[in-house]
Amino acid sequence: MKYSIITINYNNKDGLEQTINSVLCQTCQDFEFIIIDGGSTDGSVDVIRKYEGRISYWVSEHDNGRYHAMNKGVRQAHGEYLNFMNSGDAFHSPTVLDELTQLNCTEDFITGGFYDREKNVTHIIYPQEITLLFLLKETFNHQATFYKKELFRHREYDEKYVIVSDAKFNLQSIILDNCSVRIIKNIIADYDFNGISSNKARVIEETKRMHEELFPKRILIDYQAMYTPAEIPLITLFGELKQSPLILKISYQFTRFLLKCKKLLR
């Protein structure tokens, strides 16, 4: 099986049905469809039962948040690549999976563009070379990314975070484990920006805490000092940086340094 599409939901029956329809109408049917509901009381379960014959696995029970729900979905998945299309989001067109399959990608991460419904804007923002700098200041759109199932044999999403666990997973996998990435121009998802990730203050707080967890303090201080006074939080720093050739070169060399350190510590 090529793909596992995982949808998590909690009390968003209208968004859930929209997501379900975008999955089931795919012209490529080489996928399984998994729905993890957090014990909704708004009629979401009735929506799931409406399409039950075309859903590979579903459950509705209390969970400990969205990353706990996503981990539950991963454990049920059998596809080569996983995609997390949460309720309220949708595949951009019925041919998304077909077009992706035709690219014959083999990389660990495959990520493309996404459409912002609210602003009527399409985003394809990724550089062709994914560096530490890029992943410190932003991350992939979750719904527009496909992850090799093998990645989750080594780690799951960190459930102590509410918003940035996928960013942490990406940093660990791509920078510390040197996993491969394929950037494609295809528009994968229509994204709902009204979810919990729109809480910018929470994003900044969690991101700072996550960076401090992943990297030794002396590395963060030195890296930060190259660009701005030490009192400015790291997330603020990288949010303001521009991707000039010089900065990208420094980031590339720093990434190589981290990978060498990791090899020496083994």
Side-chain angles (χ1 to χ4, degrees):
M1 184 178 301
K2 189 68 175 178
Y3 306 108
S4 295
I5 312 303
I6 299 170
T7 295
I8 65 170
N9 175 72
Y10 181 67
N11 284 340
N12 183 18
K13 67 175 183 177
D14 294 335
L16 175 62
E17 186 155 25
Q18 179 182 35
T19 303
I20 289 174
N21 284 324
S22 84
V23 173
L24 296 183
C25 77
Q26 290 296 301
T27 54
C28 169
Q29 290 288 303
D30 189 13
F31 66 85
E32 62 179 356
F33 189 20
I34 297 166
I35 298 179
I36 308 296
D37 181 76
S40 295
T41 57
D42 70 336
S44 290
V45 173
D46 293 331
V47 172
I48 295 171
R49 289 197 173 112
K50 177 180 175 181
Y51 299 94
E52 190 169 23
R54 301 186 64 188
I55 297 170
S56 307
Y57 173 89
W58 71 274
V59 67
S60 180
E61 61 188 15
H62 174 75
D63 57 47
N64 298 321
R66 68 171 183 164
Y67 290 117
H68 180 214
M70 290 162 70
N71 283 334
K72 287 166 64 176
V74 169
R75 293 168 201 151
Q76 297 296 328
H78 303 90
E80 181 183 354
Y81 282 97
L82 277 53
N83 172 271
F84 299 89
M85 192 61 65
N86 297 337
S87 65
D89 303 311
F91 283 117
H92 185 65
S93 76
T95 60
V96 166
L97 295 184
D98 250 335
E99 292 168 0
L100 181 61
T101 301
Q102 292 170 18
L103 293 175
N104 294 316
C105 299
T106 59
E107 289 79 6
D108 299 310
F109 290 76
I110 307 168
T111 188
F114 61 95
Y115 172 71
D116 179 350
R117 296 183 188 130
E118 183 178 352
K119 296 181 179 178
N120 192 26
V121 174
T122 298
H123 299 265
I124 305 179
I125 60 175
Y126 310 132
Q128 285 302 307
E129 189 68 33
I130 300 300
T131 65
L132 173 64
L133 175 60
F134 175 83
L135 290 174
L136 282 171
K137 73 174 189 173
E138 55 187 292
T139 194
F140 303 146
N141 178 272
H142 212 128
Q143 288 76 358
T145 303
F146 290 78
Y147 306 77
K148 262 195 177 175
K149 172 67 187 299
E150 289 295 319
L151 298 174
F152 294 90
R153 299 190 189 280
H154 306 295
R155 66 172 57 89
E156 292 186 328
Y157 289 116
D158 189 337
E159 295 173 14
K160 71 173 174 284
Y161 294 105
V162 176
I163 299 175
V164 304
S165 188
D166 50 312
K168 180 184 178 185
F169 184 93
N170 296 345
L171 264 169
Q172 289 176 299
S173 300
I174 297 170
I175 300 302
L176 301 182
D177 295 343
N178 202 27
C179 290
S180 56
V181 180
R182 174 82 173 267
I183 308 296
I184 62 176
K185 295 181 179 180
N186 306 51
I187 309 303
I188 303 296
D190 292 350
Y191 182 60
D192 182 359
F193 275 87
N194 295 315
I196 191 170
S197 297
S198 62
N199 185 338
K200 299 303 181 184
R202 183 69 179 268
V203 171
I204 290 173
E205 183 276 325
E206 282 202 0
T207 302
K208 182 175 184 294
R209 182 155 49 95
M210 180 263 289
H211 288 165
E212 291 170 349
E213 177 187 349
L214 286 182
F215 300 105
K217 183 178 180 180
R218 59 177 57 90
I219 288 180
L220 295 180
I221 291 174
D222 286 345
Y223 202 69
Q224 185 173 353
M226 288 191 292
Y227 306 107
T228 193
E231 68 269 13
I232 299 178
L234 188 67
I235 181 62
T236 303
L237 161 68
F238 287 109
E240 296 298 324
L241 285 178
K242 305 297 182 183
Q243 290 202 19
S244 70
L246 175 61
I247 291 175
L248 289 175
K249 183 176 181 180
I250 293 171
S251 174
Y252 173 73
Q253 295 298 332
F254 186 69
T255 302
R256 292 185 63 189
F257 167 74
L258 283 180
L259 290 172
K260 287 180 181 179
C261 289
K262 183 182 178 184
K263 290 179 181 179
L264 292 174
L265 293 173
R266 285 178 177 171

